[in-house]
Amino acid sequence: MTTAAQRKKAMQEAGYNTFLLKSEDVYIDLLTDSGTSAMSDRQWAGMMMGDEAYAGSRNFYHLEEVVKDVYGYKYLIPTHQGRGAENILSKILIKKGDIIPGNMYFTTTRLHQELAGGKFEDIIIDEAHDPENEFAFKGNVDLNKLEKLIKKHGAKKIPYVSIATSVNMAGGQPISMQNLKAIRALTKKHGIRIIHDMTRVAENAFFIQQKEKGQGHKTVKQLVKEICSYTDGATMSAKKDALVNIGGFLAVNEWDVFEEARNMVVVYEGLHTYGGLAGRDMEAMAIGIGESVSDDHIRARVGQVIYLGEKMIEYDVPIVKPIGGHGIFVDAKKFLPHIPQTQYPAQTLAAEIYLDSGVRTMERGVVSAGRKANGENYFPKLELVRFTIPRRVYTQAHMDVIAESAARVFERRKKILGMKMVYEPKYLRFFQARFAKL
Amino acid sequence: MDSFHPHDKNHFYRAAGTAILHYVYLEKYHQAALLSFTAPFPLSSHPHYSHYHHHCMKTIIEPFRIKSVEPIYFNTAEARQLILEKAFYNPFLIHSDDVLIDLLTDSGTSAMSSNQWAGIMQGDESYAGSPSFFRFEKAIKDITGLPLVIPTHQGRASEKILFSIMGGKGKYFVSNTLFDTTRANIEFSGAEGVDMICEEGRYPTVPAPFKGNMDTVALQKFIDEKGAEHIPLCILTVTNNSGGGQPVSMQNIREVHAICKAHAIPLFIDACRFAENAWFIKLREPGYADTPVPEIVRELFSYADGCTMSAKKDAFANIGGFLAMHNEQLAQQCRNLLVITEGFPTYGGLAGRDLEAIAIGLHEVMDEHYLQYRIRSIEYLTNKLIAAGVPVMQPAGGHAVYLDAKGFLPHIPVDQYPGQALVGALYVHGGIRGVEIGSLMFGKYDEQHQLVPAALELVRLAIPRRVYTQSHIDYVSEVIIEVFNKRNEIEGLTILEESPILRHFTVKLSPIKK
C-alpha cells in the first residue's frame, strides 16, 4: 500500500500515464485483463510438464488437439502473443489498398492492418458508440454498412471481415449468434473470409447464453464452437480467455494460408511447433482453454464484473451499459464534462483514480485512438477509462474498494483539470506517452 | 553398448592433459592439421591449475544434482525407420517423444535450476512496471554494464527490431560471421551482410584457439573502400555459431572496437553464448587465467555499444531474449517498434516469470565450475570421435559437435544431401536427433534449377545445457562410431516437396535406392 504523497510522486514520475507506473506502486491493478490471470493448479502442473524440444514438442500436439476440439479450427500456428498472430495474418492476407471491415477497431489489430497497407473500416452498429444505449448486443455488425462497403470497393478488395467477439473498445460488448449467421451468409455470397478476433470468445458466448433468444439451453462450450464455425480463421491472444500469462495463436481452415503462415512464423516468432513460446506455456494454454469454456468459471467471471458495475451505478458513476464481460468502462466525457477531448479527459480520470486509491486503470479514448495516416488525431466517440478485471485474481472485497474509489473521485470531479501531451511516440502512443497537468 | 566405468581410459571428465589444448601457430594453417591437437601436458603445467584444480579430483563432475527428471522413450531401430519414413526424412517433422537424445539445438532446451524455478513462481505478471522486469534489467546492467535494456520474446525479435531501424538499401553490416537468422533479418531490410572471418577460421579441421576472430585487416580495408557512412553496425558473434561455436579473443574484440571507434561505427555483440566465449578467453588467452569470468564478461561488453541476446542459450531460459545498449535515442526507437510486434517495454512479449528466470540464469552461467564442465563435455565427445577417425570440426567449440558429412559419406554427392542422410542414419541407429547445416539448409538453385551447394556439409549435434550426463554422451559417441563403421550402407536423398523459403523446416525427402 502507498500513501497519497507517494502516489503523487509516482504519478508525476510516470508522466501521468498509468502504463508507466511501477506495479509495486499499484494497490489493485486493473490496467488490463491480458496476461494477468491466475493459473489453476492444473495449469501449474502442466507448466512442470513442458517439453522444450525445438521441434515436435508434445505440448504442441496437445494444444493443436485442444484447439481443434474446442474451437474447431483445422490448422494451428502458435505465437508468443496475439499481436504476433495479427502481424503474420495481416502480412499474408492484406495487399496495399485493401479494405478491412470490422466491428470497431482495436489498437494493435488496426495498426497491423495499416502497416500491411490496408485500411480499416468500422461496420459496428451505431448503438455501440452510445455509452448509454442498453442494447444487449452492441458488438453486432451493421449489415447495411458492410454491404455498402462491398458494393463500393468490390469483394476483391476485401481480403476478410474482421470480427471480434466481446468488442473490447466498445466496452466488452458481445455480438449475437444471429448477427454472426447473417454476416456469414452475406460474406459467403461474396466469397469473403471472416477472421475472428477471438480473445474473449467465451465471455461473448456467455452473454449469448444469457441474453439471446433460443440459445439459453446450450453450454458455453457448445456456443463457442458454434461461433467459431461461422468464421474461417482466428487470431487469439490466449492471455485473456485462455487464462495464461503469455501466448497466442493463429488458426485457419485454409491449407494455403496455413502453409504461408508456417513459413512466416519462423522469421518473426519461432519454428511452427513452438512459435516463440516455451513448451510449458503451450501446455498451460491447452489446459486453460479447456477451463475457459466451463459454465461455472464464466458465470463467476462475468458475475464479478457485473457486481462491480452495479456498485458503480449505485454511486451514480457514469459507465458504459450494458455491463461488458471483462471490465467496467467509465464514461469520462460524462464524468468530466468540463474537460474537452483535446485535454484528454479519460487519461486525466485514470490518473485521478490512481491518486485516490492506488487502483490502476487504463485510458481507452483519444490517446489510444492515435493518429490517422495523414497525421490528424482520431477523435473517437467513446472516451473511456477501463477498469479491467483480471481473471480469478481479486475478490469481492477488492471490488468494493474499487467502486468506493470511483465514487470518491466522482464527488470531487469539478475540481479536476485536464492535461497536455508532452511526449508522443510514433506507434501505439498510449503505451509510452507522457503528460503534464494543465 | 559398453557400460560406464570410472576407470575407463576415455573417462569423460578426467581432466588430464587432454583437456588442455596445445596450439602451434603457423603461417600456413593447412600445415597445422599435421600437428598434434592434444599434446599431453601434465595437469599442473596449466596456467591456472592452482586456481580451480587444487582441491579437485581428476574427475570433473556435473556441478549439480538432479531434482526432477523427464522420461525419455525407447524405440527399436525398426520402429524409428518407420517414424523417419513417415517424417519424410526430415528431423523437424519427428515428434519429440520419438527422439531418445535430442541434439537438434542448444536453444531453449536447457534445464533450469531450482533457483530459476523458484523465480518462475515469483513472476509478477503485471502488464506494465513489473518488479520482475526491474530485476531482469538490473541483472543485465550489472553483468554487461549496458544501461538500457529491452526484453523480447526471443533473440530473433531483438535482431528484427534493431535491423529495421539501422538497416536499409545500400548499407553494409560487417561481422566475424553473421548467424543465418541474423543475416536473413539484415537482408530483409535491404542491407547487405558481410562476413570477415579470420584466416584460421576458414579451415574446419585445423585447430587454433580463436577461430571466431574477425579479420581486422579486411575490416579496415572494407571501411576504406565503402566509407564508414554506409556501415551502420559491426556485429561480433560470440561464440561464432555458424563457424562451429569458435570463440573470439579479447585482443580481437579490442582491435575491432578501436577500428570501429575511429570511424564512429557502433559495435554490437551477438551475445547468445557470451559466457562460453569468456571461458575460452580464460583458458586460452594470455593474461586472463586468473581473471574471474564476470570480470572477463564485463570487459568484453565494455568494448560494445550494445548487444542482442537470445536468452535461450547462455541464460538457461526456455524462452526469452533482449537488446541492451548505451544510446538513449536508439533505445527509444527500439521501444517504439517493440510495442507493435512484441509487447510493452517492461515485458517485451515475455511472462514476468520468464524475466525472473533469465535474470537468475545470467548469473548462474558465469559459474566457473559450470563452464568447465560445459566446455569439457563438448571437448570430450569431440576427442572420442577424433580418436575413432570420425571427421569432425576442430577444435571442439562451445556448444556443439559438428560432423563433416562430406568426409563421413564421400560416396554421397552434395546434391543427394549427405548431411541430411547422416542425420537420418543417426536417428534410425540410435534415436539421436541432429540437424543438417549444409546444402539442404543453405543451398540455392541457379537459373537452370541446378543446386548451388553450401561451402560445407555439416551435421550439428548441439548439446543442451545441464540436460544430459556422461553416459548419454558416451552413448552418442558409440552410436556415431557404429554408424561410421557401416557408413557405406547409407543412401543419399532426393527432395519430393519443398517450400521456397527456409525449406529445411518442412521439406519432404526420400532415399535414392542403390
Side-chain angles (χ1 to χ4, degrees):
Chain A
M1 281 204 73
T2 48
T3 64
Q6 285 169 334
R7 289 195 292 273
K8 191 174 171 191
K9 187 162 168 275
M11 195 76 263
Q12 275 167 354
E13 279 171 5
Y16 293 92
N17 184 346
T18 50
F19 272 100
L20 301 180
L21 287 167
K22 292 184 176 174
S23 88
E24 280 178 325
D25 293 330
V26 174
Y27 181 44
I28 300 178
D29 203 346
L30 307 185
L31 185 69
T32 177
D33 64 328
S34 177
T36 52
S37 301
M39 291 202 293
S40 67
D41 53 353
R42 276 146 213 266
Q43 285 179 293
W44 273 106
M47 291 279 291
M48 297 303 298
M49 306 273 283
D51 171 357
E52 306 302 344
Y54 192 86
S57 160
R58 80 183 82 94
N59 307 131
F60 167 75
Y61 298 106
H62 183 201
L63 178 64
E64 193 182 41
E65 187 190 302
V66 168
V67 167
K68 252 185 226 164
D69 171 46
V70 176
Y71 302 132
Y73 296 116
K74 272 193 214 160
Y75 308 114
L76 171 75
I77 303 267
T79 58
H80 83 280
Q81 56 180 17
R83 72 192 84 186
E86 288 171 351
N87 178 34
I88 291 168
L89 182 86
S90 302
K91 285 201 163 74
I92 293 173
L93 293 183
I94 299 173
K95 293 186 302 292
K96 206 172 149 46
D98 279 352
I99 304 291
I100 301 95
N103 55 346
M104 204 172 267
Y105 84 98
F106 184 69
T107 50
T108 57
T109 318
R110 186 179 64 194
L111 179 64
H112 285 295
Q113 291 164 357
E114 288 173 353
L115 289 174
K119 185 169 181 285
F120 172 82
E121 290 279 1
D122 195 358
I123 52 167
I124 203 162
I125 54 173
D126 290 337
E127 289 90 327
H129 296 284
D130 175 1
E132 285 176 74
N133 187 306
E134 298 216 25
F135 180 56
F137 293 100
K138 284 162 79 174
N140 278 0
V141 163
D142 183 333
L143 290 156
N144 288 327
K145 287 184 191 172
L146 177 55
E147 223 165 353
K148 265 190 208 157
L149 273 180
I150 298 172
K151 227 173 239 163
K152 185 173 162 197
H153 300 282
K156 284 216 166 101
K157 280 267 166 212
I158 301 176
Y160 62 92
V161 177
S162 171
I163 296 296
T165 37
S166 256
V167 180
N168 189 8
M169 299 305 272
Q173 301 297 327
I175 180 169
S176 72
M177 195 69 88
Q178 193 199 349
N179 188 246
L180 260 172
K181 282 186 206 168
I183 305 164
R184 173 76 293 176
L186 178 61
T187 50
K188 202 167 185 183
K189 202 169 81 187
H190 295 281
I192 300 172
R193 293 180 192 89
I194 300 176
I195 297 295
H196 180 194
D197 175 356
M198 65 180 299
T199 190
R200 296 181 184 87
V201 64
E203 288 165 12
N204 195 114
F206 178 72
F207 283 117
I208 291 175
Q209 185 191 56
Q210 297 299 309
K211 297 183 178 178
E212 189 166 348
K213 230 173 137 182
Q215 303 289 341
H217 63 288
K218 297 178 190 165
T219 63
V220 166
K221 187 171 178 183
Q222 289 168 334
L223 289 163
V224 163
K225 196 153 185 180
E226 186 179 343
I227 291 170
C228 295
S229 76
Y230 300 127
T231 68
D232 303 293
T235 58
M236 172 70 160
S237 164
K239 294 170 69 172
K240 284 88 174 182
D241 255 7
L243 300 163
V244 293
N245 304 117
I246 196 70
F249 61 76
L250 174 65
V252 292
N253 291 334
E254 290 163 82
W255 172 261
D256 292 353
V257 177
F258 168 68
E259 206 179 11
E260 220 172 311
R262 198 173 56 172
N263 289 334
M264 203 176 275
V265 74
V266 182
V267 179
Y268 291 94
E269 300 287 310
L271 187 71
H272 62 273
T273 60
Y274 79 91
L277 288 170
R280 58 173 174 267
D281 293 318
M282 291 192 284
E283 192 63 27
M285 199 195 301
I287 297 165
I289 288 170
E291 291 176 5
S292 79
V293 294
S294 138
D295 283 86
D296 293 340
H297 160 69
I298 283 285
R299 194 182 311 114
R301 155 72 177 156
V302 179
Q304 187 180 45
V305 176
I306 289 172
Y307 173 84
L308 175 62
E310 283 174 353
K311 274 249 143 162
M312 292 227 192
I313 294 169
E314 255 174 59
Y315 290 128
D316 294 326
V317 176
I319 66 167
V320 173
K321 290 177 205 161
I323 297 165
H326 66 296
I328 301 303
F329 291 70
V330 172
D331 183 351
K333 271 187 188 167
K334 213 168 160 199
F335 198 113
L336 299 169
H338 57 289
I339 300 180
Q341 207 168 9
T342 51
Q343 293 178 14
Y344 313 111
Q347 191 76 30
T348 304
L349 181 54
E352 289 295 331
I353 298 279
Y354 173 74
L355 289 171
D356 179 75
S357 60
V359 170
R360 170 156 71 172
T361 59
M362 183 200 288
E363 192 262 13
R364 278 299 183 220
V366 65
V367 182
S368 293
R371 290 177 186 275
K372 296 175 194 169
N374 65 11
E376 278 174 37
N377 276 306
Y378 282 107
F379 284 104
K381 287 186 186 138
L382 296 176
E383 179 74 20
L384 308 174
V385 175
R386 190 178 78 175
F387 291 59
T388 343
I389 315 298
R391 292 164 187 80
R392 308 194 291 206
V393 172
Y394 293 116
T395 67
Q396 186 166 323
H398 291 105
M399 297 303 119
D400 291 341
V401 170
I402 296 159
E404 284 157 19
S405 174
R408 268 197 305 278
V409 176
F410 188 63
E411 263 168 37
R412 61 173 174 83
R413 64 191 178 277
K414 286 178 185 151
K415 291 183 201 148
I416 296 170
L417 301 175
M419 299 198 294
K420 63 178 178 186
M421 203 186 298
V422 293
Y423 168 68
E424 181 178 354
K426 190 173 170 194
Y427 301 110
L428 303 172
R429 64 183 182 183
F430 60 96
F431 281 137
Q432 299 183 83
R434 301 183 75 87
F435 301 84
K437 283 243 137 200
L438 286 173
Chain B
M1 311 258 166
D2 61 8
S3 62
F4 169 77
H5 190 274
H7 302 297
D8 178 354
K9 68 177 164 35
N10 287 324
H11 193 262
F12 189 17
Y13 298 128
R14 181 162 303 171
T18 49
I20 300 146
L21 308 182
H22 177 224
Y23 296 106
V24 179
Y25 296 87
L26 291 177
E27 284 177 285
K28 289 177 184 166
Y29 292 99
H30 65 274
Q31 290 184 14
L34 303 171
L35 296 171
S36 166
F37 171 45
T38 53
F41 278 93
L43 180 65
S44 56
S45 76
H46 189 256
H48 46 283
Y49 168 71
S50 61
H51 182 71
Y52 60 91
H53 288 292
H54 61 293
H55 293 307
C56 294
M57 312 297 286
K58 281 183 186 168
T59 303
I60 303 169
I61 58 170
E62 287 91 349
F64 53 80
R65 55 183 176 174
I66 297 165
K67 189 192 280 293
S68 176
V69 296
E70 184 183 1
I72 51 179
Y73 302 98
F74 292 81
N75 265 328
T76 60
E78 292 71 35
R80 284 193 294 263
Q81 179 61 43
L82 286 176
I83 291 164
L84 187 67
E85 281 166 21
K86 267 194 188 157
F88 293 97
Y89 292 80
N90 182 347
F92 286 98
L93 302 181
I94 298 174
H95 290 210
S96 82
D97 278 351
D98 293 326
V99 176
L100 192 58
I101 309 274
D102 202 348
L103 307 183
L104 186 67
T105 177
D106 64 325
S107 178
T109 51
S110 302
M112 289 203 294
S113 66
S114 48
N115 267 328
Q116 284 181 296
W117 274 104
I120 289 271
M121 295 302 298
Q122 287 203 326
D124 174 334
E125 305 302 342
S126 302
Y127 195 86
S130 160
S132 301
F133 169 74
F134 296 111
R135 280 192 281 274
F136 168 86
E137 188 185 39
K138 182 171 185 305
I140 294 161
K141 272 188 196 174
D142 289 351
I143 290 166
T144 67
L146 297 164
L148 305 167
V149 177
I150 298 170
T152 58
H153 87 276
Q154 58 182 26
R156 73 192 78 190
S158 302
E159 292 172 353
K160 185 97 210 152
I161 288 167
L162 189 66
F163 303 144
S164 306
I165 294 166
M166 293 189 142
K169 217 172 147 55
K171 291 182 176 166
Y172 302 94
F173 285 75
V174 294
S175 176
N176 50 346
T177 308
L178 297 163
F179 184 58
D180 47 295
T181 59
T182 318
R183 174 177 288 277
N185 269 320
I186 287 168
E187 286 170 359
F188 189 81
S189 82
E192 215 177 291
V194 186
D195 291 344
M196 301 177 187
I197 191 71
C198 64
E199 174 74 16
E200 59 267 42
R202 290 176 203 159
Y203 304 94
T205 55
V206 179
F210 291 105
K211 290 171 77 175
N213 280 356
M214 188 166 186
D215 182 341
T216 49
V217 176
L219 172 62
Q220 184 61 59
K221 204 172 143 217
F222 189 82
I223 296 171
D224 293 343
E225 263 171 36
K226 303 288 179 184
E229 67 277 18
H230 300 297
I231 306 172
L233 194 64
C234 176
I235 300 159
L236 276 177
T237 313
V238 305
T239 58
N240 187 15
N241 185 15
S242 306
Q246 301 295 330
V248 181
S249 71
M250 194 71 88
Q251 180 61 29
N252 188 248
I253 298 171
R254 224 177 274 131
E255 286 168 13
V256 170
H257 162 73
I259 295 171
C260 287
K261 200 174 174 197
H263 296 90
I265 298 168
L267 171 64
F268 266 58
I269 306 282
D270 178 345
C272 300
R273 298 177 181 86
F274 72 95
E276 288 167 7
N277 199 97
W279 183 250
F280 281 119
I281 289 174
K282 180 165 179 132
L283 274 186
R284 298 178 183 174
E285 192 161 349
Y288 286 94
D290 295 322
T291 314
V293 167
E295 271 177 46
I296 297 175
V297 167
R298 188 78 184 217
E299 185 186 344
L300 189 157
F301 283 107
S302 75
Y303 301 119
D305 296 284
C307 75
T308 59
M309 173 80 181
S310 163
K312 296 170 70 170
K313 283 88 174 184
D314 265 358
F316 302 120
N318 303 118
I319 197 70
F322 59 83
L323 278 161
M325 63 196 74
H326 283 289
N327 184 325
E328 176 63 63
Q329 200 194 339
L330 177 62
Q332 194 52 48
Q333 282 176 293
C334 289
R335 289 189 199 108
N336 286 342
L337 290 186
L338 184 81
V339 295
I340 301 175
T341 49
E342 292 297 299
F344 187 71
T346 62
Y347 79 90
L350 289 170
R353 57 175 171 266
D354 295 318
L355 297 170
E356 296 276 0
I358 294 167
I360 297 163
L362 284 171
H363 283 290
E364 286 179 358
V365 77
M366 294 190 294
D367 177 84
E368 301 197 354
H369 293 287
Y370 161 72
L371 285 167
Q372 184 190 26
Y373 138 79
R374 167 72 175 161
I375 300 303
R376 174 68 189 129
S377 57
I378 312 286
E379 189 184 41
Y380 170 80
L381 177 56
T382 306
N383 289 353
K384 270 201 151 188
L385 296 176
I386 292 170
V390 178
V392 296
M393 224 169 170
Q394 295 182 44
H399 66 287
V401 173
Y402 292 74
L403 305 177
D404 173 9
K406 256 190 221 172
F408 202 112
L409 302 171
H411 61 285
I412 300 180
V414 290
D415 62 359
Q416 294 180 18
Y417 306 105
Q420 192 77 359
L422 180 52
V423 166
L426 293 174
Y427 175 70
V428 171
H429 192 71
I432 296 167
R433 174 156 70 170
V435 64
E436 190 257 17
I437 298 191
S439 293
L440 189 71
M441 190 180 276
F442 292 122
K444 290 175 178 164
Y445 292 114
D446 64 15
E447 280 155 17
Q448 281 79 47
H449 203 71
Q450 294 300 305
L451 178 74
V452 182
L456 298 170
E457 302 294 335
L458 302 174
V459 170
R460 187 185 75 178
L461 303 169
I463 315 293
R465 291 167 184 79
R466 306 193 293 204
V467 170
Y468 295 117
T469 67
Q470 179 186 349
S471 46
H472 291 110
I473 299 291
D474 283 338
Y475 173 87
V476 169
S477 108
E478 190 181 345
V479 170
I480 295 169
I481 292 165
E482 285 188 12
V483 169
F484 186 62
N485 290 339
K486 52 174 200 169
R487 58 192 179 278
N488 293 334
E489 295 167 25
I490 299 171
E491 295 162 329
L493 298 167
T494 185
I495 290 178
L496 301 174
E497 209 181 297
E498 63 185 304
S499 68
I501 53 164
L502 297 164
R503 63 176 180 174
H504 55 287
F505 289 125
T506 52
V507 67
K508 294 179 177 175
L509 305 114
S510 76
I512 299 168
K513 297 284 172 203
K514 281 176 201 164

